[in-house]
Amino acid sequence: MKVSVLALWSAAAALLLVLVAQAPSAAEGSHHGGAGLKLGYYKKTCPGVENVVKYHVAKAIKANRGAGAALVRLIFHDCFVRGCDASVLLDPTPANPETEKTAPINIGLAAFEVIDEIKAALEERCPGTVSCADIVVYAARDASSLLSNGHVHFAAPAGRLDGVVSRAADAQRDLPDSTFTVSELIRNFRRKNFTVEELVILSGAHAVGVGHCSSFRARLSAPPAQIVPAYRNLLSGKCAAAAGGADDPVVANNVRDEDPRAVAAAFPSFLGKLRKARDFLDNSYYHNNLARIVTFNSDWQLLTEKEALGHVKEYAENGTLWDEDFSDALLKLSRLPMPPHSKGEIRKTCRWVNRH
């Protein structure tokens, strides 16, 4: 049964209103890495924490569905670098001017203000209890559920600590680049213990969100065997403003979310396939990829390797299967631990480490 975002938002708001505020000064027990996480971690120390997160995520998506797409992207960019430790949230400082969020590969990361809002609400309710790392996971889980009308869903264990290390160089090393070949993508995901199938599954998140022209510049001169010329012309027109200047326009990851006027001008045969609701998380990415109408080289590359291509076809044919497998892949992603012997804390604010 499909549930509208408005209905989910209303339900979350109603739940939030009836919660009884309890604010213990510290989390019960100790926070853990990926192996020690548990469901209901905050049941006693911050009851209703997941309802609070869902309320704020739903409110953000109601105002701008792009915020939901940004939250889904944020969990990947956090957890693939030093594990799920909220290190991607840390702002640069004079002592550390190059945190992860300043890395070129993290261009366009957004929704930090949504995380800030959730953290502030939880600090007021349960001071010093809920980690920013857990908030990132809860928020991504709720965003993916709301953007998919509830088809993507999983129970999220918690108990993570916030990291105190954040380096742009780590993000550049660990995150897959949009220019990667399929071999580079497979090696990159294998280092985090993800399979070719899981690479294809997580790539399906490109059904939502936006990409910067600088991330797919080479696609604008790719041959027809790699990208439909009409779509290539559409992208070229969108990115023309970037030529010779510092501006770096953004383009919808999913051609089905494109501006009808731009599609009418460059790709009129696709007009009938545009969707009314932007940023709907479904298996349309796989249909787009097989039709050679995706933005990133790393997307098209999945068609060049036998196993990956088989999974692209599989998920194009079975959207329900992708919903289930994407849920499982997000859960696995959320369990990536911090490096051994890492120091952690519960930050007071998600953008700064605590002062000791």
Side-chain angles (χ1 to χ4, degrees):
M1 179 178 70
K2 291 191 175 182
V3 182
S4 70
V5 170
L6 180 59
L8 284 168
W9 178 81
S10 299
L15 280 169
L16 184 61
L17 289 172
V18 300
L19 292 172
V20 178
Q22 296 182 27
S25 60
E28 179 180 354
S30 59
H31 283 59
H32 304 283
L37 304 176
K38 66 178 183 179
L39 294 173
Y41 182 84
Y42 296 106
K43 185 176 181 180
K44 294 181 179 179
T45 57
C46 194
V49 57
E50 294 184 55
N51 294 319
V52 174
V53 175
K54 184 177 292 185
Y55 168 78
H56 287 282
V57 171
K59 184 175 72 169
I61 289 175
K62 185 169 182 277
N64 174 18
R65 289 179 66 84
L71 289 169
V72 175
R73 185 182 181 212
L74 201 57
I75 187 177
F76 183 85
H77 283 247
D78 183 38
C79 294
F80 239 58
V81 183
R82 299 187 63 82
C84 303
D85 67 343
S87 52
V88 74
L89 304 181
L90 290 173
D91 280 345
T93 64
N96 184 16
E98 295 184 352
T99 58
E100 288 175 30
K101 65 166 59 171
T102 71
I105 202 163
N106 278 331
I107 185 173
L109 282 183
F112 297 113
E113 71 284 351
V114 181
I115 301 295
D116 292 340
E117 185 178 300
I118 295 168
K119 178 63 171 174
L122 290 173
E123 281 298 301
E124 183 177 342
R125 180 186 189 82
C126 318
T129 303
V130 182
S131 69
C132 300
D134 283 339
I135 292 172
V136 168
V137 171
Y138 284 146
R141 186 269 308 270
D142 293 339
S144 62
S145 179
L146 290 165
L147 293 180
S148 67
N149 279 357
H151 294 163
V152 174
H153 56 88
F154 61 94
R160 299 166 188 81
L161 283 172
D162 297 324
V164 297
V165 176
S166 182
R167 295 183 290 246
D170 291 343
Q172 288 298 121
R173 181 194 65 220
D174 290 349
L175 289 167
D177 193 86
S178 61
T179 63
F180 273 10
T181 65
V182 71
S183 297
E184 290 172 318
L185 289 168
I186 291 171
R187 282 198 300 271
N188 177 271
F189 273 69
R190 186 183 296 138
R191 284 201 295 268
K192 301 294 182 180
N193 198 31
F194 282 83
T195 65
V196 173
E197 181 180 25
E198 289 164 333
L199 158 63
V200 175
I201 292 166
L202 288 170
S203 296
H206 289 165
V208 299
V210 295
H212 283 75
C213 290
S214 60
S215 298
F216 56 84
R217 184 74 59 194
R219 293 279 283 163
L220 304 182
S221 57
Q226 297 181 17
I227 186 170
V228 169
Y231 182 55
R232 185 184 60 202
N233 293 341
L234 186 155
L235 295 178
S236 295
K238 289 266 184 165
C239 295
D247 192 25
D248 190 5
V250 296
V251 174
N253 284 339
N254 195 325
V255 62
R256 296 164 197 265
D257 292 340
E258 265 297 351
D259 173 18
R261 289 170 298 180
V263 174
F267 197 4
S269 63
F270 200 78
L271 265 176
K273 296 183 180 179
L274 298 182
R275 52 192 188 181
K276 294 179 181 178
R278 281 184 62 99
D279 290 314
F280 188 81
L281 187 59
D282 60 9
N283 70 329
S284 59
Y285 163 83
Y286 302 100
H287 292 278
N288 295 348
N289 207 345
L290 291 171
R292 293 173 291 115
I293 46 176
V294 287
T295 51
F296 302 123
N297 177 70
S298 54
D299 292 328
W300 172 78
Q301 284 284 328
L302 299 181
L303 307 184
T304 67
E305 196 272 340
K306 184 177 180 180
E307 183 183 354
L309 173 59
H311 291 305
V312 171
K313 292 178 177 178
E314 177 185 29
Y315 292 118
E317 294 169 0
N318 194 334
T320 301
L321 179 64
W322 180 77
D323 292 336
E324 295 170 354
D325 289 353
F326 186 68
S327 302
D328 290 342
L330 278 185
L331 177 59
K332 178 176 177 177
L333 181 67
S334 78
R335 290 183 175 277
L336 287 177
M338 295 168 68
H341 312 300
S342 296
K343 292 182 179 179
E345 62 185 12
I346 307 296
R347 291 183 207 143
K348 294 182 175 66
T349 177
C350 291
R351 292 175 183 260
W352 317 102
V353 297
N354 296 340
R355 292 183 179 180
H356 296 289

